Every structure is written in C-alpha cells, then in structure tokens.
Amino acid sequence: MSRVGKKPIRIPDNTKINIEGDKLVVKGAKGELCQIIHSEIDLDIKDNYIKVGISNNRRTNRALQGLTRSLIANMVTGVTKGFERVLEINGIGYRATLSGNSIIFNLGYSHPINFELPKGVNAKVAKNNNITLTCIDKEQLGHTAAAIRRLRPPEPYKGKGIKYAGERLIKKAGKSGAK
C-alpha cells in the first residue's frame, strides 16, 4: 500500500465534502472544486477525516491511492487557504503591468505581449518585476505560472528572463577571449 495514500486527510470545520457517484465536490471559504474519482478508489469520511482506500492491492491501484489522496489534500488546502506562486522578471527594460484580467509584458521583443489570465487565477504586479499569482486550484496555478515563464525563460549567461521566486539558475561562463 502507498505510504502517502494511507495518511488520513483532516477536513477543516468550514469545509464541506460531498461524494456524488464518482464525483467529489469540496466547498470552502474560497470556493468550490470538483474531481472525478477512479472506480477502484474507496473514500471513507468519518470524524472530520477522509481516508482513501483501494478495492484490491494491484500496483496501479496503489499508485492511484497516493495520487487521489494528494489531489484531495490539495483541493481541501485550496478551498481553505488557496495557493500562491511568485515569478520574478530580470533584465533591463523587462517589466509587466496589470490591465484588467490580463498582464502586459515588455520582454525585449519588438512588441508587448498580452497574456490573458485564465478564470480563477488572480495576479498582482509589484515594482513592475514581481508577479504574484493566486488560485484555489494548484494544477491550474502551476500551468499558468509555467505558461508565463515560457514567454521568456531565463537565459544561462546573465539570467535575464522570467523565473520562479527561489529558483536557482546555473549560469554558464562566457567566452574567455584573448587577454
């Protein structure tokens, strides 16, 4: 059995969980999330805890148990606290501005890039070079942050571009040249 899958998930007081057939609905203070649960997975809700079980001990079911437990834990965390991802823009003249539900990037190209934020993802831009993305769905937040980073990934010589906060870049040495 999966070590992760065996751990019970604590349900906070202000969170409600409903199982409708193979669909799990989690409602909390920040919103509502839905997830389809595999037919081999058994969910047991008792005393403000959810336990994820499996019908038989096959390898794929053990993997699904850990995956399902992680997805449900992320849903519970998302509707209670939410998730946050911070991106940093490095480079002279590189900046971002928030305009309604989109972010306008100037990243050294001949044109500004207009990035539309997906529904449910909120952004704040501080000092034109720090972007804070917030969302209740961890998967959607990660996809959005990766799409923004893909607009101008950090280059290996000077580190110019968009990177995650706390990401370590390994810089290459430039040309040695004759001295």
Side-chain angles (χ1 to χ4, degrees):
M1 292 189 50
S2 168
R3 287 184 187 172
V4 172
K6 286 192 275 185
K7 293 168 73 176
I9 304 164
R10 188 181 176 290
I11 304 169
D13 295 332
N14 57 354
T15 305
K16 294 180 182 167
I17 294 181
N18 295 327
I19 301 171
E20 302 158 358
D22 62 344
K23 185 177 177 183
L24 177 76
V25 180
V26 180
K27 294 180 185 178
K30 295 205 175 246
E32 174 181 331
L33 291 173
C34 300
Q35 180 73 38
I36 302 295
I37 303 298
H38 196 272
S39 60
E40 298 288 327
I41 300 296
D42 302 323
L43 297 178
D44 185 30
I45 302 174
K46 286 183 184 172
D47 302 327
N48 288 343
Y49 283 95
I50 301 176
K51 251 184 117 76
V52 179
I54 52 177
S55 58
N56 57 29
N57 204 18
R58 283 189 287 181
R59 182 181 176 97
T60 54
N61 292 348
R62 291 192 310 261
L64 280 172
Q65 181 186 19
L67 170 71
T68 305
R69 193 255 178 224
S70 294
L71 291 174
I72 295 170
N74 286 338
M75 290 169 66
V76 170
T77 303
V79 298
T80 54
K81 299 176 191 171
F83 292 101
E84 179 179 278
R85 192 72 191 218
V86 180
L87 297 155
E88 296 173 350
I89 302 174
N90 296 324
I92 296 173
Y94 291 11
R95 64 181 177 273
T97 54
L98 193 61
S99 173
N101 197 30
S102 63
I103 304 173
I104 300 170
F105 291 98
N106 291 321
L107 299 172
Y109 297 118
S110 61
H111 60 284
I113 299 169
N114 187 15
F115 184 85
E116 290 288 329
L117 291 171
K119 186 177 178 185
V121 178
N122 299 318
K124 288 185 224 160
V125 178
K127 297 189 278 184
N128 292 332
N129 61 1
N130 282 342
I131 303 166
T132 304
L133 300 173
T134 56
C135 185
I136 62 171
D137 188 0
K138 190 174 186 178
E139 182 180 5
Q140 185 180 24
L141 180 68
H143 283 297
T144 305
I148 290 175
R149 186 182 185 275
R150 226 174 298 134
L151 296 175
R152 178 69 102 172
E155 54 100 29
Y157 296 102
K158 292 184 179 178
K160 291 170 35 173
I162 302 173
K163 68 179 188 103
Y164 300 120
E167 179 182 7
R168 280 194 44 195
L169 299 176
I170 300 172
K171 294 186 181 178
K172 290 183 177 179
K175 292 182 181 178
S176 57
K179 291 190 179 185

